[in-house]
Amino acid sequence: MSGALDWLAVGDVAEERGRDNSAILGGGAARLAAHAAALRARVSLVAKMGEDDAGRRVRDALERLKVDLRWLRSAPAMRTTVWHEPDGQPQRRRVERGADLALRLDEIPPLSVAAALTVVSGYSLSVEPARSAALGALSSARIRGGRAALLLEADLLWWTNARMVRRVLEPALAIVDSVALQAADARVLFGSVNAREAVRLVAAMGPRLVYLAEADGSVVLREGGRIHGCPADRSEGAPRDRYAGAAAFWVGLARRAPARKAASDSVRYAQSVRRAGPRL
């Protein structure tokens, strides 16, 4: 696939604000794309935002990182989505919904655009029309000559309603080659199960590769019927950006690294990232 992209990152883009009102790049697809670009992957972001100050800040940050933005759409009549404390306690999270969930199926790049991997953020599966756009992107990944991957994000969906979250995620899980999730996502879906049981349960829904990141940065990977453990360096502390490990894992897969090596490398990358996301 000469000239092909390493990734198409499809889904949500936002501004994320902390307790002190500081702003960083937000949205699962945007943050994954930012890390992929930092790892020198050729990545294009397929998303939608408003034509407002937040949107301009987001676009500027992505341009600095050299993310391909030809499919970053603008919705003049809508605001850019803003998240408040998405990584904090669920009860404290708040989202000002904007344009990202208005991404439509007809705004997905044509099938002639080749990419080794199509990565979709699970939050985009929550409502229409973004849900149809996300599922369409996953379904067409193989036609593009690549593979499909899903960032689960159950903890950002209806975290109080596991049955609803599973219903939303199941159609996507049935068609992807790989999925990444956090220990917090596993708790939402399955309750108090250990990491090995969680990856087994996710794999039963379809994916060949299941990548689960623990709170300390270590990873449990299920590849087919085999489980690999990739420990974190305890002297480095927990990762500061929950998107970093999954992004590095998928960059490794796009470059045809064996899954176990991609997972091990991702642990080191996640622990090397020193802040939660690019500042706006």
Side-chain angles (χ1 to χ4, degrees):
M1 292 191 297
S2 177
L5 293 162
D6 293 311
W7 282 25
L8 283 173
V10 182
D12 54 324
V13 59
E15 181 175 86
E16 185 177 310
R17 295 178 187 165
R19 196 173 302 179
D20 60 356
N21 214 34
S22 61
I24 62 174
L25 180 65
R31 287 271 280 281
L32 288 169
H35 283 295
L39 289 162
R40 301 182 183 276
R42 296 165 297 173
V43 56
S44 187
L45 176 62
V46 185
K48 203 167 196 176
M49 63 183 189
E51 289 187 356
D52 53 6
D53 288 343
R56 284 186 283 276
R57 289 190 291 269
V58 164
R59 184 179 288 274
D60 287 347
L62 290 165
E63 285 178 345
R64 288 195 300 270
L65 290 163
K66 298 185 173 8
V67 175
D68 182 336
L69 300 181
R70 73 187 112 158
W71 291 292
L72 179 57
R73 316 286 184 174
S74 293
M78 301 183 75
R79 299 176 58 185
T80 299
T81 295
V82 176
W83 277 94
H84 298 267
E85 299 187 57
D87 289 333
Q89 293 295 319
Q91 297 86 345
R92 295 183 62 88
R93 294 175 193 155
R94 182 166 62 88
V95 60
E96 299 171 30
R97 283 194 175 183
D100 58 350
L101 293 180
L103 184 69
R104 303 190 311 269
L105 180 59
D106 64 358
E107 294 173 320
I108 300 298
L111 293 174
S112 58
V113 177
L117 204 62
T118 298
V119 179
V120 167
S121 57
Y123 181 72
S124 299
L125 295 167
S126 56
V127 296
E128 294 289 356
R131 177 175 173 80
S132 290
L135 289 171
L138 292 173
S139 297
S140 43
R142 194 166 295 174
I143 301 173
R144 295 179 189 281
R147 290 169 289 175
L150 177 69
L151 182 71
L152 217 60
E153 296 201 289
D155 192 41
L156 283 186
L157 291 164
W158 297 281
W159 58 274
T160 58
N161 191 333
R163 182 178 298 177
M164 178 62 75
V165 173
R166 285 196 293 269
R167 186 179 302 169
V168 165
L169 292 172
E170 280 170 357
L173 287 167
I175 56 177
V176 298
D177 178 70
S178 63
V179 63
L181 71 159
Q182 300 278 311
D185 299 315
R187 285 194 296 273
V188 168
L189 291 171
F190 308 120
S192 299
V193 300
N194 63 38
R196 287 176 171 254
E197 179 64 6
V199 296
R200 186 191 70 79
L201 290 168
V202 174
M205 299 181 195
R208 179 181 64 88
L209 297 172
V210 183
Y211 173 105
L212 187 149
E214 302 270 26
D216 68 351
S218 59
V219 165
V220 175
L221 174 71
R222 183 179 172 104
E223 181 180 14
R226 302 180 64 186
I227 292 181
H228 310 292
C230 305
D233 183 343
R234 294 186 180 181
S235 68
E236 289 291 329
R240 292 168 175 81
D241 188 331
R242 63 193 176 90
Y243 297 102
F249 174 64
W250 282 321
V251 168
L253 293 187
R255 291 172 173 165
R256 301 184 183 276
R260 188 173 183 177
K261 183 181 187 306
S264 295
D265 291 346
S266 78
V267 172
R268 289 189 289 275
Y269 174 74
Q271 290 194 296
S272 75
V273 174
R274 296 306 175 191
R275 57 178 179 231
R279 291 174 183 164
L280 301 183

